[in-house]
């Protein structure tokens, strides 16, 4: 069965259905996948880190010993309680996907140890995945897709995590902090814990927006804007560095592609205004170019043409389409796009 609605997922994780023997939790956000798997594990066994009741396997274990997974699922708990078998898949190997699917199907049917719970954590599985199909089809299994957190989910996570250290944020500060957090939950959680240390654990402090100025520093989006400007300016190494910095801050490939499209749009508007008779500097200001970036932007505007931008627009649209395909290497797509733009800029003398 498929559990895709948030209330259904939360209800199941809080009180797992006793008839379900296998649960597949998958999605692009590894942090959400891991959090949900940990919560489920805590409901299945009293001590999720106890090696007598819990077996934890990875891709490497399946690669080195193909029979081990079914062996662990058939084994009984050494302490007499319920047994938990966890499998963490990070590889996209078709052979491992198929192996896990076969084990899930067998276990869901009760052919192994019917009292054991099988929990699988996986990445962004496509519809063609055998493992995903098996979990969705089996009556005694559940498939839980994980999507990016909504702002409300992140806000709740921030409040709950900070409360453990007896610190808090005002409503305005919370809104600001949530807007600036990385999208990936694991990285976001690290930032929240870092904020708790910054505010002083146990201090009882409630911070306002002004208290976060030094902590927040430069906006993550600035890295993407820098990457786009560097690409159109022919500085490939700098563009790649900015893209990777943005990725560490939680900005994925699609956002990077959009940033390059936004920069192209400003160049197009500037050149269109200049063609209509406006001065280049006046046109740049009318296009919203920040004064600190004006000199570099004007350097680029003197080299790129509207025909050049028309050709690049098609490439950016294609990159954006590719990024939205299931399982796409979106960060690599963004870096390849930046490489292509920077190479053209170099040929123009930039």
């Amino acid at each position: 069965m498929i559990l895709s609605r948030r209330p259904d997922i939360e209800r199941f994780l809080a009180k797992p259905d006793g008839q379900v023997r296998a649960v597949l939790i998958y999605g692009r956000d590894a942090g959400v996948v891991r959090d949900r798997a940990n919560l489920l594990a805590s409901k299945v066994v009293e001590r999720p880190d106890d090696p007598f009741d819990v077996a934890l396997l990875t891709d490497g274990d399946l690669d080195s010993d193909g029979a081990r997974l079914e062996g662990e699922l058939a084994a009984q708990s050494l302490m007499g309680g319920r047994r938990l078998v966890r499998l963490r898949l990070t590889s996209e190997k078709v052979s491992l996907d198929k192996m896990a699917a076969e084990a899930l199907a067998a276990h869901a049917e009760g052919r192994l140890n019917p009292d054991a719970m099988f929990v699988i954590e996986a990445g962004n599985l496509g519809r063609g995945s055998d493992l995903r199909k098996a979990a969705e089809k089996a009556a005694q299994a559940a498939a839980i897709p994980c999507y990016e957190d909504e702002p409300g989910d992140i806000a709740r996570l921030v409040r709950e995590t900070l409360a453990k250290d007896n610190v808090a944020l005002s409503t305005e500060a919370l809104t600001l902090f949530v807007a600036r957090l990385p999208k990936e939950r694991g990285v976001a959680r690290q930032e929240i814990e870092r904020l708790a240390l910054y505010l002083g654990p146990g201090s009882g402090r409630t911070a306002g927006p002004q208290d976060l100025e030094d902590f927040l520093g430069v906006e993550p989006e600035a890295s993407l804007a820098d990457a786009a400007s560097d690409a159109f300016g022919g500085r490939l190494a700098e563009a790649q560095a900015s893209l990777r910095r943005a990725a560490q801050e939680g900005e994925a490939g699609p956002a990077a592609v959009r940033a390059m499209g936004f920069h192209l749009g400003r160049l197009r508007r500037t050149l269109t205004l200049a063609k209509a008779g406006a001065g280049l500097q006046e046109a740049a200001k009318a296009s919203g170019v920040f004064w600190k970036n004006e000199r570099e932007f004007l350097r680029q505007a003197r080299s790129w043409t509207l025909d050049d931008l028309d050709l690049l627009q098609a490439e950016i649209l294609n990159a954006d389409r590719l990024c939205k395909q299931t399982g796409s290497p979106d960060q690599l797509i963004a870096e390849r796009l930046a490489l292509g733009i920077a190479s053209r800029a170099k040929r123009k003398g930039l």
Side-chain angles (χ1 to χ4, degrees):
M1 64 177 175
I2 305 172
L3 296 175
S4 57
R5 294 177 62 252
R6 190 178 302 273
D8 294 337
I9 294 172
E10 291 179 352
R11 192 179 304 113
F12 177 84
L13 293 177
K15 189 177 181 181
D17 185 337
Q19 300 300 312
V20 173
R21 300 190 185 103
V23 179
L24 167 65
I25 306 175
Y26 69 96
R28 189 184 297 275
D29 192 328
V32 177
V33 171
R34 182 63 53 85
D35 279 357
R36 286 177 168 172
N38 287 341
L39 177 58
L40 179 59
S42 70
K43 302 296 181 181
V44 175
V45 293
E46 185 176 348
R47 296 178 298 278
D49 56 351
D50 187 343
F52 292 104
D53 287 332
V54 181
L56 177 59
L57 305 179
T58 64
D59 308 67
D61 296 316
L62 268 63
D63 255 339
S64 60
D65 184 359
R68 184 177 174 186
L69 178 56
E70 289 202 1
E72 293 288 0
L73 288 170
Q76 302 292 318
S77 169
L78 295 178
M79 304 303 291
R82 191 175 190 188
R83 181 167 173 76
L84 171 64
V85 178
R86 298 183 66 171
L87 173 62
R88 289 176 179 161
L89 293 174
T90 55
S91 168
E92 295 183 2
K93 283 186 177 180
V94 175
S95 59
L96 297 184
D97 182 87
K98 185 176 181 181
M99 190 184 303
E102 291 172 349
L104 182 145
H107 185 61
E109 291 173 5
R111 286 186 271 142
L112 302 172
N113 174 7
D115 293 326
M117 172 65 88
F118 185 22
V119 178
I120 309 126
E121 301 168 41
N124 193 33
L125 301 178
R127 293 182 179 179
S129 162
D130 288 339
L131 176 57
R132 178 175 164 180
K133 291 177 183 177
E136 292 175 350
K137 179 181 178 181
Q140 276 71 46
I144 301 178
C146 298
Y147 306 106
E148 283 189 350
D149 283 319
E150 298 292 333
D153 301 317
I154 292 294
R156 183 169 63 250
L157 177 64
V158 172
R159 286 194 298 266
E160 292 174 352
T161 305
L162 293 181
K164 293 177 182 177
D165 286 309
N166 194 28
V167 291
L169 297 176
S170 69
T171 301
E172 295 81 1
L174 179 63
T175 300
L176 175 63
F177 184 61
V178 168
R180 295 282 297 277
L181 275 177
K183 303 297 188 297
E184 205 279 320
R185 186 185 284 193
V187 182
R189 188 183 292 280
Q190 293 174 7
E191 284 299 295
I192 300 168
E193 292 170 351
R194 190 166 70 88
L195 175 61
L197 290 174
Y198 176 78
L199 297 177
S203 66
R205 180 181 179 187
T206 297
Q210 66 279 5
D211 300 314
L212 299 183
E213 289 181 1
D214 291 338
F215 179 82
L216 291 175
V218 179
E219 294 188 17
E221 289 84 356
S223 297
L224 294 180
D226 289 344
S229 179
D230 287 332
F232 278 88
R235 296 183 297 275
L236 176 60
E238 291 86 346
Q240 287 181 319
S242 295
L243 284 175
R244 288 166 186 171
R245 184 168 63 250
Q248 291 173 349
E249 294 164 345
E251 294 291 351
V257 173
R258 285 195 298 272
M260 283 180 265
F262 186 70
H263 191 85
L264 182 146
R266 276 187 167 163
L267 280 172
R268 183 197 297 281
R269 176 170 168 75
T270 299
L271 293 179
T272 300
L273 290 173
K275 187 177 180 180
L280 200 58
Q281 187 173 19
E282 177 188 353
K285 288 180 179 178
S287 300
V289 177
F290 189 48
W291 67 268
K292 286 185 178 181
N293 304 326
E294 189 176 280
R295 183 177 179 181
E296 169 59 22
F297 186 86
L298 291 175
R299 186 179 77 94
Q300 296 175 18
R302 293 187 184 100
S303 296
W304 290 96
T305 68
L306 287 171
D307 288 340
D308 296 329
L309 298 181
D310 285 340
L311 292 174
L312 276 181
Q313 182 71 63
E315 294 182 19
I316 290 175
L317 290 173
N318 185 53
D320 183 62
R321 178 182 60 79
L322 292 174
C323 280
K324 293 174 181 175
Q325 292 181 358
T326 301
S328 63
D330 51 25
Q331 192 63 29
L332 179 59
I333 291 169
E335 290 195 21
R336 284 177 176 170
L337 177 62
L339 171 61
I341 295 173
S343 297
R344 291 192 186 188
K346 280 287 189 185
R347 291 197 294 271
K348 290 183 160 296
L350 285 164

